[in-house]
Amino acid sequence: MHTGLESPKGVWWKPAHRSEKVWFSLAFGWCIVLFAMMPLWHWKGGQNPAGTRSRVDPAAFAARTQEFIETYQVGEENGFPIVEPPPGSDVYLLGRMWSWSPILKLRKGAEYTLHISSADVNHGFSLYPINVNFQVVPGYDYALKVTPSEAGDFRVICNEFCGIGHHIMLGRVIVTDEEGNLAVAEGESTEVSVP
Ligand code: CUA
């Protein structure tokens, strides 16, 4: 009778075949490469940019966003203010069930400090069609140094499930060229329905 603590008698195992050892070495090497990629992406790849995250009272953030809107508002679309802050300024974007406010009009090549926060639950800031994703957490102000590198008309999509209206939570960021002109390709519509 054998217990798990005693080896059974005889040769019950075979040495690993050479090809198995080779595969194991390759797999282990690849694990190490992927592991090393995480810090590399952080330091070299421009991934996980180090934002300054600080605690903020959601009501205070909403009030600050409102002040920002009143200071720099240049228009309105479907009831949402369009705000064009000067280059170098602090920019506020508030996510809430189920909207992003305001519509931002930024300039290519200018640096801004983008403050993102939520008034209620977790949302996901996703800039479409560019691969930019951030968690938007109530009670925290995520301040990011951003320099738009491409002119265009972008959508902000919520990529964190936040309730029944999650799929309609759509915002807009317009990036003008260096002269402040809208660079929209011929025949392309600038119309967008922001619910
Ligand atoms: Cu906000 Cu999903």
Side-chain angles (χ1 to χ4, degrees):
M1 187 179 154
H2 297 292
T3 71
L5 299 174
E6 291 169 41
S7 298
K9 284 191 177 66
V11 181
W12 58 273
W13 57 274
K14 290 182 186 132
H17 189 266
R18 198 179 150 267
S19 60
E20 194 178 345
K21 288 180 184 164
V22 169
W23 278 115
F24 182 83
S25 306
L26 286 174
F28 183 75
W30 188 238
C31 285
I32 297 299
V33 168
L34 292 180
F35 182 71
M37 284 310 282
M38 287 188 272
L40 275 179
W41 268 325
H42 181 80
W43 300 113
K44 288 279 176 197
Q47 299 273 329
N48 311 322
T52 334
R53 186 160 269 207
S54 58
R55 278 194 165 275
V56 66
D57 173 42
F61 189 88
R64 184 66 190 89
T65 304
Q66 193 52 41
E67 192 189 322
F68 164 72
I69 291 169
E70 280 159 19
T71 311
Y72 302 121
Q73 183 166 4
V74 292
E76 198 186 278
E77 188 182 76
N78 299 327
F80 282 85
I82 301 174
V83 177
E84 186 172 9
S89 59
D90 286 84
V91 174
Y92 292 82
L93 183 67
L94 179 69
R96 57 153 52 103
M97 291 188 277
W98 293 284
S99 65
W100 296 100
S101 185
I103 295 170
L104 296 172
K105 199 170 172 187
L106 306 178
R107 195 172 286 214
K108 183 184 167 185
E111 194 189 69
Y112 303 89
T113 305
L114 178 61
H115 299 265
I116 324 175
S117 193
S118 163
D120 36 48
V121 298
N122 267 39
H123 297 282
F125 173 91
S126 177
L127 195 61
Y128 186 83
I130 296 173
N131 186 18
V132 173
N133 289 283
F134 289 102
Q135 279 283 332
V136 182
V137 184
Y140 285 91
D141 172 358
Y142 207 154
L144 294 159
K145 292 271 183 209
V146 294
T147 305
S149 57
E150 206 181 305
D153 194 353
F154 304 96
R155 300 291 171 274
V156 181
I157 291 170
C158 182
N159 61 6
E160 187 70 46
F161 184 72
C162 56
I164 195 83
H166 164 68
H167 62 290
I168 59 157
M169 190 168 163
L170 188 64
R172 186 179 178 195
V173 175
I174 303 158
V175 179
T176 62
D177 62 19
E178 287 88 340
E179 283 79 48
N181 300 313
L182 278 176
V184 177
E186 194 83 20
E188 204 174 301
S189 172
T190 53
E191 285 295 303
V192 60
S193 63
V194 179

